[in-house]
Amino acid sequence: MNYDWHSEPWVERKACNVRLKKLPKCLNVLEFWRMANKIFRAVILGPPGSGKGTISARIAQSFGLQHLSSGDLVRGDVAANTEAGILAKTYIHKNLLVPDHVMTCLLLPKLEKMTKHSWVLDGFPRTLAQATALNNICDLDVVISLNVPFETLKERLSDRWIHPASGRVYNSQFNPPRVHGVDDISREALVQLDDDKPEALLSRLRHYKDIAKPVIDLYRAKGILHSFSGTETDKIWPYISSLLGSKIPVQQAFATPLPLHSQDH
């Protein structure tokens, strides 16, 4: 007689929000419930254009984690005119990186409220100071570092267009707007950031390499860093999925992966 776990009351919680298939006979209910409720936290590191957003979204959909984009969270505070958001806006309008103390003020309170949730975070931490602050409030399970050749990054970013008000990102090659140069939702004009232009990109990537190295070294020393290299997100993804499948066994065994079109950024 087959065991119908759908009838159990604990299924109402949807086991970490993943869509489940039939429960294997080798896994008892208590073990399943313990593993399915394990809090899992991952961070995605990589230079501009490396595909952090695409990979994070795929992880979130395939493994039932919540995708936290540091850029989206910052834009949310800016739009809401919070105290930290107003401060961040002064740097953003000058096309400057938001400094560490402002970023931690914006993001850490949100993460502290998610102690019972599993998540994947991209775009933070960017510096050693941010990584240290993050370590003070939570333990990470996995840090994924994306290594993409310069020529590939240059091609991706030269085709990237932004809707400044919302932060929506388009790529003229694989994620174009419905109308060239126009945001799909607001119908407002898209722009290309000066930092995404080829003449500024080399300096930007050198800066990323300088500030990212101590962060990467920190997570390597902790034994949680996993690096993936390649020129196409679709080819890197199966290896990342396999890694996370070994770290999140229940979610990997039961999740039904949802296809997601690449939007490298």
Side-chain angles (χ1 to χ4, degrees), residues 48-49 95 153-162 169-171 191-202 204-205 264-265:
N95 201 29
L153 296 175
K154 184 170 70 173
E155 290 176 8
R156 289 179 182 177
L157 293 176
S158 64
D159 290 330
R160 185 164 77 166
W161 295 83
I162 308 290
V169 179
Y170 298 88
N171 186 288
V191 301
Q192 187 174 43
L193 300 179
D194 289 339
D195 283 349
D196 287 345
K197 295 177 181 177
E199 56 270 22
L201 182 57
L202 183 59
R204 188 179 177 191
L205 293 178
D264 295 301
H265 59 275

Side-chain angles (χ1 to χ4, degrees), residues 16 60 87 89 97 109 116 118 126 133 165 196 216 228 230 249 259:
C16 300
L87 185 56
K89 187 189 298 186
L97 289 173
K116 297 182 179 180
S118 295
R126 191 183 69 246
D196 287 345
I216 290 172
F228 297 89

Side-chain angles (χ1 to χ4, degrees), residues 77-144:
D77 271 53
V78 170
N81 283 320
T82 65
E83 183 177 352
I86 292 171
L87 185 56
K89 187 189 298 186
T90 63
Y91 294 94
I92 295 171
H93 283 178
K94 296 176 183 178
N95 201 29
L96 299 173
L97 289 173
V98 179
D100 292 338
H101 71 282
V102 180
M103 287 297 295
T104 54
C105 184
L106 282 166
L107 297 184
L108 296 192
K110 295 177 175 61
L111 296 177
E112 287 177 324
K113 294 178 181 178
M114 299 186 65
T115 56
K116 297 182 179 180
H117 298 273
S118 295
W119 44 256
V120 54
L121 173 63
D122 83 77
F124 183 94
R126 191 183 69 246
T127 67
L128 183 60
Q130 293 176 10
T132 302
L134 181 60
N135 286 345
N136 289 335
I137 68 165
C138 69
D139 294 321
L140 298 176
D141 296 283
V142 167
V143 174
I144 292 172

Side-chain angles (χ1 to χ4, degrees), residues 45 126-128 206-220 225:
L45 304 177
R126 191 183 69 246
T127 67
L128 183 60
R206 283 175 175 166
H207 177 68
Y208 168 80
K209 185 177 180 179
D210 290 341
I211 64 174
K213 186 181 185 304
V215 179
I216 290 172
D217 289 344
L218 171 68
Y219 291 132
R220 181 182 290 115
L225 180 74

